[in-house]
Each structure stands twice: as C-alpha cells, then as structure tokens.
C-alpha cells in the first residue's frame, strides 16, 4: 500500500538537512507520497481577488497551463490584464517548485527537466469525462501523445483552496503489485505502430514498448470497475496549505474532489535516480524478462 512520508519543511528555497534529503529521495523512489504539511504557496492580493473569489468561469477546460519555454499560458479566457496576473502567479509557483527540488533533491539537479506548470481551479467531483480521461479512477500516469521512453514523471502539488477544502485522493497499492495484476493480459504493440503514430504527429516522438505497456496499464486500471471498487486502496485528504510530491507514473492515484490546486511536472531519466531498480521501467523489464526502452 502507498504510504505517506512527512517532512516539516517550511521554505521553498531550503536549506534542507542531509537527513531530510535522504528521507525525501528514499520515500519518493520507493513509491511513497512525500507530504510537506507546512509548505504553503503564498498568494498576492490581486491573485486572490481574480482567481479565488469567482467561480472559475474563466477556465476553458479543467486546467490552466504554463509552458516555461515561452511563458505562454493556455486554457484561460482571461483578458490581457488578468492574464498577466495569472502568468506571474504561475511563473512564481514554477520558480518555487524548482527551488524546492534544488534544496531537497540535490541528487536530481543535474538530470531533472522541468515540464509544464498547471493551475486547477475547477472542482474535480462531478466533472464529466470519458472513462479514459477520468482521473477519479485509480491510475498511474501515462499520456497517449507524450511518450517518456522510461523517464520518470515526478509531480509536485500545492493545495491553495481558500475555503478549507482538501484535495481528496485515493492511493493504491505498490506499483509491482498492480503491474503483476494486469501484466499477463496486456496485448503486445502492433508491429510498426510506433513509427506510424510518430509520423502522423499523434505522438511527440516514438512510443517505446515501455510507453505502450504503461498506457495499457493506465487504461486497464481505469476500465476495471472491480479493481476500482475493491482493489487495495486508501483515502487521503491533502489539506489546504500543504504541498506533496509523488512519482505519478508509479503510484496509483485518483483525485476525487477539490479545487484550486497548483501542479508542477518534472521528468527524470532513470539513470538520474538514486535507485533505478525501483522505476516502473526496470520493474516491468524484470517482470517481463526483456528490455522495453
Ligand atoms: C491526477 O494526476 O490524476 C489528478 C491529480 C489532481 O488533480 O489532484
Ligand atoms: Fe494522474
């Protein structure tokens, strides 16, 4: 079962003790959620006024995202002035997130890449979606258009809900247990399909066998109502004002309710890990007896 490891860190920029650093990396790599209950993201008054006192009508879909490559913001109907406030707020969250990784996970700094930043003001509960996109079903993260070829997906979240509402998750069993449950029944990729998907621009780059099996696992978990109802799991409410980190490609998770969340994605090559054997890539390779990426 997924465990929660807590650290009493209060500052994004650190410093963090050597003990905190070791605890953090060990917990994350073995598939725990790393909870920092005292690490909040402070909002400015203009940000509060804009994004917390209305109903989130300015959001197009479920998330607003920031691409750090050009600081472009997507997914919002905000006007130019509002967009400026939104962008500054998200860039600050991205900067704080990076500072925390440097302070708490220094062993990752030389290989980690910072991905997109998102702000999630929309209530999760009751949101309509297809079963495949339904994040209220337990799953491990794997995205059809973005193959990672084994790279880890590390995500950092901060609940900034101003009304005392938690971000309510379910957390599942350990990755290897979930993998063993489905592995024997996952179909092989169709010959040549990864080239075709990349050529048509459906995937960004080639989908490796690893990506294929992770996507299958993601889909099979979400589609399996018996597993959703009675597979090993626990509920956990992430209170407002807390931050947590988790390898979402490894830890089965489902977001059941909550709104007003920040999220920052990082990618880490397996070789950059302290213990690569714990990665989904190496676990699947061991279980299947062959290389997958
Ligand atoms: C997810 O990664 O499945 C959703 C997490 C969240 O928005 O709380
Ligand atoms: Fe997810």
């Amino acid at each position: 079962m997924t465990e929660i490891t807590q650290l009493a860190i209060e500052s994004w920029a650190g410093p963090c003790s050597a003990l905190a650093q070791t605890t953090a990396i060990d917990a994350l790599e073995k598939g725990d959620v790393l909870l920092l209950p005292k690490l909040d993201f402070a909002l400015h008054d203009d940000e509060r006024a804009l994004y917390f006192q209305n109903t989130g009508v300015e959001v197009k879909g479920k998330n607003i995202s920031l691409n750090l490559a050009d600081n472009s913001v997507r997914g919002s109907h905000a006007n130019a002035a509002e967009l400026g406030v939104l962008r500054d707020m998200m860039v600050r969250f991205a900067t704080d997130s990076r500072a925390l990784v440097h302070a708490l996970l220094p062993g990752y700094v030389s290989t980690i890449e910072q991905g997109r930043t998102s702000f999630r003001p929309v209530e999760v509960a009751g949101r309509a979606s297809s079963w495949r996109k339904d994040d209220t079903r337990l799953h491990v993260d794997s995205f059809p258009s973005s193959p990672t070829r084994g790279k880890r997906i590390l995500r950092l979240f901060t609940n900034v809900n101003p009304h005392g509402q938690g971000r309510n998750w379910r957390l599942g069993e350990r990755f290897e247990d979930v993998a063993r449950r489905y592995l024997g029944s996952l179909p092989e990729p169709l010959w040549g399909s990864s080239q075709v998907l990349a050529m048509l621009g459906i995937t960004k780059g080639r989908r490796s066998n690893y990506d294929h099996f992770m996507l299958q696992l993601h889909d099979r978990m979400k589609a399996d109502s018996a597993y959703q109802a009675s597979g090993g799991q626990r509920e956990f409410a992430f209170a407002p004002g807390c931050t947590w980190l988790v390898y979402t490609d490894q830890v089965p998770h489902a977001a059941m309710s909550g709104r007003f969340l920040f999220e920052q994605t990082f990618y880490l090559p397996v070789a950059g890990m302290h213990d690569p054997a714990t990665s989904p890539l190496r676990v699947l390779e061991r279980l299947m007896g062959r290389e997958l990426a």
Side-chain angles (χ1 to χ4, degrees), residues 181-220:
R181 178 190 288 262
Y182 294 106
L183 217 52
S185 63
L186 302 183
E188 293 288 328
L190 291 177
W191 189 84
S193 59
S194 73
Q195 283 98 321
V196 173
L197 289 169
M199 226 162 61
L200 295 176
I202 295 170
T203 55
K204 295 181 204 101
R206 283 275 294 276
R207 190 182 276 178
S208 64
N209 284 346
Y210 168 75
D211 296 295
H212 167 82
F213 288 115
M214 286 296 284
L215 214 46
Q216 289 288 328
L217 190 58
H218 167 277
D219 286 0
R220 289 292 302 279

Side-chain angles (χ1 to χ4, degrees), residues 150-175:
K151 266 190 196 158
R152 306 302 316 276
I153 303 174
L154 177 64
R155 290 187 141 161
L156 181 157
F157 301 89
T158 303
N159 182 2
V160 292
N161 187 287
H163 311 297
Q165 188 188 7
R167 189 78 172 186
N168 299 299
W169 277 25
R170 290 187 290 147
L171 291 160
E173 48 200 340
R174 295 291 186 190
F175 181 81

Side-chain angles (χ1 to χ4, degrees), residues 242-257:
C242 82
T243 293
W244 63 105
L245 291 106
V246 54
Y247 273 118
T248 53
D249 54 355
Q250 173 179 10
V251 176
H253 60 283
M256 307 312 292
S257 64

Side-chain angles (χ1 to χ4, degrees), residues 30-265:
K30 86 171 142 92
D32 288 2
V33 170
L34 181 64
L35 176 62
L36 311 176
K38 296 185 172 171
L39 188 62
D40 196 3
F41 178 64
L43 291 154
H44 299 164
D45 287 345
D46 54 348
E47 296 166 349
R48 263 180 207 290
L50 256 183
Y51 293 101
F52 295 84
Q53 278 160 25
N54 61 32
T55 52
V57 283
E58 74 287 344
V59 183
K60 285 181 193 162
K62 51 181 189 177
N63 298 340
I64 297 172
S65 74
L66 167 74
N67 180 354
L68 285 168
D70 56 5
N71 275 5
S72 59
V73 173
R74 277 216 218 153
S76 155
H77 287 300
N79 65 34
E82 293 167 339
L83 208 58
V85 176
L86 183 57
R87 177 180 294 115
D88 287 355
M89 173 173 81
M90 295 184 72
V91 168
R92 204 168 73 253
F93 185 74
T95 306
D96 279 354
S97 299
R98 186 164 55 243
L100 182 74
V101 167
H102 279 245
L104 187 58
L105 304 166
Y108 285 173
V109 169
S110 62
T111 53
I112 203 163
E113 292 163 40
Q114 190 164 14
R116 274 178 202 270
T117 315
S118 70
F119 177 50
R120 308 180 173 193
V122 182
E123 173 58 55
V124 168
R127 206 163 57 185
S129 81
S130 66
W131 64 267
R132 201 175 257 120
K133 289 191 176 158
D134 182 0
D135 289 338
T136 68
R137 299 177 195 222
L138 282 166
H139 65 283
V140 287
D141 282 351
S142 177
F143 303 104
S145 61
S146 314
T148 69
R149 290 176 288 277
K151 266 190 196 158
R152 306 302 316 276
I153 303 174
L154 177 64
R155 290 187 141 161
L156 181 157
F157 301 89
T158 303
N159 182 2
V160 292
N161 187 287
H163 311 297
Q165 188 188 7
R167 189 78 172 186
N168 299 299
W169 277 25
R170 290 187 290 147
L171 291 160
E173 48 200 340
R174 295 291 186 190
F175 181 81
E176 181 160 343
D177 297 327
V178 184
R180 283 182 188 278
R181 178 190 288 262
Y182 294 106
L183 217 52
S185 63
L186 302 183
E188 293 288 328
L190 291 177
W191 189 84
S193 59
S194 73
Q195 283 98 321
V196 173
L197 289 169
M199 226 162 61
L200 295 176
I202 295 170
T203 55
K204 295 181 204 101
R206 283 275 294 276
R207 190 182 276 178
S208 64
N209 284 346
Y210 168 75
D211 296 295
H212 167 82
F213 288 115
M214 286 296 284
L215 214 46
Q216 289 288 328
L217 190 58
H218 167 277
D219 286 0
R220 289 292 302 279
M221 290 170 79
K222 281 190 174 174
D224 184 346
S225 335
Y227 168 72
Q228 292 296 328
S230 53
Q233 58 189 278
R234 63 186 294 187
E235 291 178 6
F236 195 84
F238 294 96
C242 82
T243 293
W244 63 105
L245 291 106
V246 54
Y247 273 118
T248 53
D249 54 355
Q250 173 179 10
V251 176
H253 60 283
M256 307 312 292
S257 64
R259 59 184 300 201
F260 300 120
L261 181 78
F262 279 99
E263 175 269 337
Q264 174 64 60
T265 301

